[in-house]
């Protein structure tokens, strides 16, 4: 079984079609016979060098809410287990899978926030934001973004550990996927209230630069959304946004999108060149 975090997976297409057609029943059976709990308990009895495959399996199971609930209730986010899976000597793909598990749980339901909080992983996340591997950095940004998706639950904790400052730096990361998820995370960190606005102030010129650079459409959309959220809850940053030239950058993006919308055939031709 390949690692979901590493996007490596060789699957039987016909088997997957069969499973998808009966997915609800399949999940129900896995839950009833407690497969998630059994696989989770296996982690306590195997050597670190053999841990990648069961963690990859757990990462797949955790994308389904009933199975995710069972995994969390049985200790998936136990602080000692989290520390072990996020640090050496665990293989890097295990770390990436666990980051993806955290991200998926956080995106799925805010009810998981208290369990993620209890896992005591914020210092690890802060460290991973400057990790040498861009895949680790991007998955960390994604996890933080989803930890801010439903509420401001983590805002104070992220600020106290200087994670917001490190997150802002990732908006100019050399890796394009990290930039995309950093802009997403910054936007969510500004969405629910203005408590982080002062720390987010210096991201404004970086978001403006994302808008005028050769970036993926999704990255630009995330940057535009983040700028919008920086004025959503108060006018504290309005002057900074205007003086940085961000408004002109936003208008240029709108104009460019309008041009594409009016000339779809030309854009399609260009995309094939």
């Amino acid at each position: 079984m390949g690692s979901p975090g590493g996007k490596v997976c060789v699957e039987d297409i016909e088997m997957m079609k069969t499973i998808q057609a009966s997915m609800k029943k399949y999940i129900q059976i896995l839950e009833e016979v407690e497969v998630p709990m059994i696989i989770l308990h296996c982690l306590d009895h195997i050597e670190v060098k053999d841990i990648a495959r069961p963690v990859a399996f757990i990462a797949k199971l955790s994308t389904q809410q009933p199975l995710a609930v069972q995994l969390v209730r049985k200790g998936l986010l136990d602080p000692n287990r989290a520390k072990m899976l996020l640090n050496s000597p665990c293989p890097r793909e295990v770390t990436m899978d666990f980051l993806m598990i955290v991200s998926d749980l956080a995106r799925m339901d805010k009810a998981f926030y208290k369990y993620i909080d209890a896992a005591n992983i914020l210092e690890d996340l802060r460290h991973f934001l400057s990790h040498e591997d861009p895949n680790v950095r991007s998955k960390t940004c994604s996890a933080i973004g989803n930890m801010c998706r439903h509420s401001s639950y983590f805002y104070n904790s992220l600020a106290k550990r200087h994670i917001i400052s490190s997150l802002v730096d990732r908006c100019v990361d050399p890796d394009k996927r990290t930039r995309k998820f950093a802009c997403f995370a910054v936007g969510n960190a500004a969405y629910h209230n203005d408590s982080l606005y002062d720390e987010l102030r210096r991201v404004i010129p970086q978001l403006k630069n994302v808008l005028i650079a050769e970036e993926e459409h999704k990255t630009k959309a995330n940057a535009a959304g983040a700028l919008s959220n920086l004025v959503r809850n108060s006018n504290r940053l309005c002057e900074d946004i205007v003086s940085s030239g961000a408004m002109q950058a936003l208008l240029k993006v709108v104009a460019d999108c309008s041009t594409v919308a009016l000339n779809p055939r030309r854009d399609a031709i260009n995309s094939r060149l």
Side-chain angles (χ1 to χ4, degrees), residues 10-234:
V10 179
E11 298 173 321
D12 184 316
I13 295 176
E14 291 304 316
M15 177 63 75
M16 287 305 299
K17 287 181 179 179
T18 302
I19 291 174
Q20 288 168 0
S22 305
M23 181 59 74
K24 186 175 180 179
K25 182 64 175 178
Y26 177 63
I27 292 172
Q28 182 181 346
I29 293 171
L30 291 177
E31 183 182 12
E32 288 175 355
V33 299
E34 298 188 324
V35 167
M37 181 189 71
I38 294 169
I39 300 300
L40 187 61
H41 285 176
C42 285
L43 300 184
D44 299 327
H45 304 286
I46 59 178
E47 296 182 26
V48 171
K49 65 181 179 66
D50 299 318
I51 207 170
R53 287 180 182 272
V55 172
F57 188 28
I58 289 171
K60 286 182 179 291
L61 294 175
S62 65
T63 62
Q64 305 298 324
Q65 187 155 3
L67 306 182
V69 169
Q70 185 177 122
L71 283 164
V72 171
R73 285 178 176 171
K74 297 301 181 179
L76 173 61
L77 296 176
D78 173 81
N80 293 326
R81 175 172 284 119
K83 184 65 66 176
M84 184 267 290
L85 295 176
L86 288 175
N87 292 277
S88 298
C90 271
R92 186 169 297 176
E93 60 264 32
V94 171
T95 295
M96 290 193 292
D97 282 344
F98 193 75
L99 287 171
M100 195 174 72
I101 289 170
V102 171
S103 185
D104 286 341
L105 292 175
R107 180 177 61 247
M108 192 180 296
D109 196 320
K110 65 181 179 181
F112 289 120
Y113 280 4
K114 63 181 180 180
Y115 298 100
I116 295 172
D117 190 16
N120 194 27
I121 62 172
L122 291 183
E123 281 301 317
D124 295 294
L125 296 183
R126 184 179 65 82
H127 171 71
F128 289 147
L129 285 172
S130 57
H131 198 280
E132 62 182 10
D133 188 335
N135 292 313
V136 173
R137 298 197 303 272
S138 66
K139 292 185 188 309
T140 303
C141 290
S142 176
I144 295 170
N146 283 315
M147 287 164 61
C148 297
R149 181 185 184 94
H150 300 289
S151 76
S152 61
Y153 183 102
F154 286 101
Y155 279 14
N156 289 338
S157 297
L158 293 173
K160 287 179 181 178
R161 289 168 176 79
H162 307 291
I163 291 174
I164 295 300
S165 178
S166 297
L167 189 63
V168 167
D169 293 336
R170 298 284 63 80
C171 290
V172 291
D173 194 275
D175 175 64
K176 65 180 182 179
R177 294 188 74 250
T178 301
R179 294 194 299 274
K180 177 171 67 176
F181 287 115
C183 291
F184 157 71
V186 163
N188 282 354
Y191 183 81
H192 300 287
N193 60 50
D194 66 352
S195 64
L196 298 177
Y197 276 17
D198 287 335
E199 280 206 68
L200 292 169
R201 186 186 304 272
R202 69 183 183 89
V203 81
I204 293 172
Q206 297 176 8
L207 295 174
K208 185 261 296 192
N209 290 337
V210 168
L211 292 176
I212 62 177
E214 292 294 327
E215 291 280 5
E216 294 179 5
H217 293 317
K218 183 59 177 176
T219 305
K220 290 192 176 189
N222 288 346
L227 284 168
S228 172
N229 290 344
L230 288 171
V231 297
R232 172 183 169 85
N233 299 293
S234 78

Side-chain angles (χ1 to χ4, degrees), residues 252-271:
K252 183 178 186 305
V253 170
V254 172
D256 291 344
C257 290
S258 298
T259 300
V260 170
L262 292 172
N263 299 277
R265 185 172 178 274
R266 178 180 177 182
D267 184 58
I269 292 172
N270 290 337
S271 68

